[in-house]
Amino acid sequence: MPELPEVETVRRELAPWLTGRRILRARRADAPPGPKYAHLERADGQRIEAVTRRGKFLVLPLSGGDELIIHLGMTGVVSPTPPADHVRVTLTLDGPAPEVVYFRDPRRFGRFLVALEGDRSALPTLAAIGPEPLAPEFTAAQLAAGLHGRAGVKATLLGQRAVAGLGNIYVDEALWRARIHPETAAADVSRGKIATLRDAIVDILTAAVEARGTTLSDYRTVGGEEGEYVGRLDAYGRDGQPCRRCGTTLVRRVVAQRGTHFCPRCQRRRA
Ligand SMILES: [Zn+2]
C-alpha cells in the first residue's frame, strides 16, 4: 500500500505536469457513484493551483476554492497512459492538446474526489492527521505528544494521529532501526527511544523518497516505474532472514492486524 514516500514521489511527478493546468472535465469512469468520487463535476473549469501532500493524501487546491483530493488506497495509480482496465476517474486537461489523467484502482480502496471549499468533513482521516515527519519542525517532543495510551506503538503509528504518512512497511522499518518492540505500549516508549525513533522515521522516509518509494506489487510512479527502496528494507518482508545488525533470524507476527516483521533480539519487549 502506498505510504508517504510513494505518495510524495507521485506528487513530485504530478506537480510540474499539473500545476497551472485548467480542468476541462473530471468524470467518474468504471466505478459506482459514491463518496469516494464525490463532487467531481465541480472541478470542471477550475485551474489546479498546486500539487501538495498531507500524509498519504494528495491535495490539489483549485482556483475556485475547492480541493481535488486523491488517496491511492492499496492499488491506485495516476498515469497519463490509458490503462487497459479498472479506470475509476478521468481528468481531461485544457491545453494546446488536451491531455487526460487516468486513475486506475483495481481494489477500489482509493479515493479521487473534490472537497468543497473549506469542507473536509467527508475525509475525517485527513482532518485529524498528525504532524508531517519531513517538515523541519517535526521534533521528538512532537512525536512524544502523540505516543500515549496503552495501545501498542505499532498500532499507534499506523493510526496517523501521532505522525502522518506511515504505513505497515515504514513502521516496521522505523521500529527495527530504533530497536523498539512493535507491541510496546505507546506510553512506555522512553524519551530516549522516542528521540531515536524520530530520527529513524526522518532518515528512512528521506532515503525512501530519494529511491522513489517501495514497489511490492501494484505501486508505480507516474512514469510507470517501480520504487527502488525495496532492496534496502531491513525488516519488512525479511522474516526468516538474518538481522543485518545481530544476525538473529527475523520473525513475522500479526500485530495490530498487520503482518509485522522484527528482530526478537534487537527489539526486546520491555519488562
Ligand atoms: Zn537484531
Side-chain angles (χ1 to χ4, degrees), residues 70-138:
I70 306 167
H71 191 285
L72 301 175
M74 291 181 72
T75 57
V77 171
V78 180
S79 159
T81 313
D85 52 10
H86 305 303
V87 177
R88 306 307 175 201
V89 175
T90 60
L91 213 60
T92 308
L93 304 171
D94 199 3
E99 286 184 285
V100 182
V101 178
Y102 298 93
F103 181 56
R104 179 179 193 266
D105 186 20
R107 297 284 302 273
R108 287 195 213 172
F109 286 99
R111 283 173 272 180
F112 198 118
L113 60 102
V114 172
L116 306 188
E117 187 170 6
D119 178 19
R120 287 180 174 175
S121 59
L123 293 160
T125 340
L126 178 55
I129 215 160
E132 279 297 323
L134 295 185
E137 63 270 22
F138 178 59

Side-chain angles (χ1 to χ4, degrees), residues 133-208:
L134 295 185
E137 63 270 22
F138 178 59
T139 59
Q142 230 179 7
L143 180 59
L147 294 182
H148 50 73
R150 302 314 302 167
V153 63
K154 170 149 186 177
T156 302
L157 292 173
L158 288 175
Q160 305 300 301
R161 284 173 181 262
V163 57
L166 296 178
N168 205 33
I169 295 173
Y170 298 105
V171 167
D172 281 6
E173 291 299 300
L175 293 176
W176 179 86
R177 184 86 60 100
R179 304 179 192 229
I180 298 169
H181 191 287
E183 292 175 304
T184 307
D188 288 347
V189 182
S190 70
R191 286 281 160 163
K193 282 283 189 195
I194 290 174
T196 309
L197 178 59
R198 179 261 172 212
D199 292 348
I201 290 171
V202 172
D203 292 348
I204 288 165
L205 294 180
T206 300

Side-chain angles (χ1 to χ4, degrees), residues 27-50:
R27 292 293 180 271
R28 189 165 42 79
D30 176 17
K36 290 178 182 176
Y37 315 106
H39 307 302
L40 279 175
E41 294 81 2
R42 284 267 300 212
D44 292 5
Q46 297 197 57
R47 195 174 299 278
I48 298 168
E49 305 273 293

Side-chain angles (χ1 to χ4, degrees), residues 176 243 245-248 250 263 265-266:
W176 179 86
C243 174
R245 253 186 325 239
C246 73
T248 302
L250 299 185
C263 174
R265 183 167 176 203
C266 293

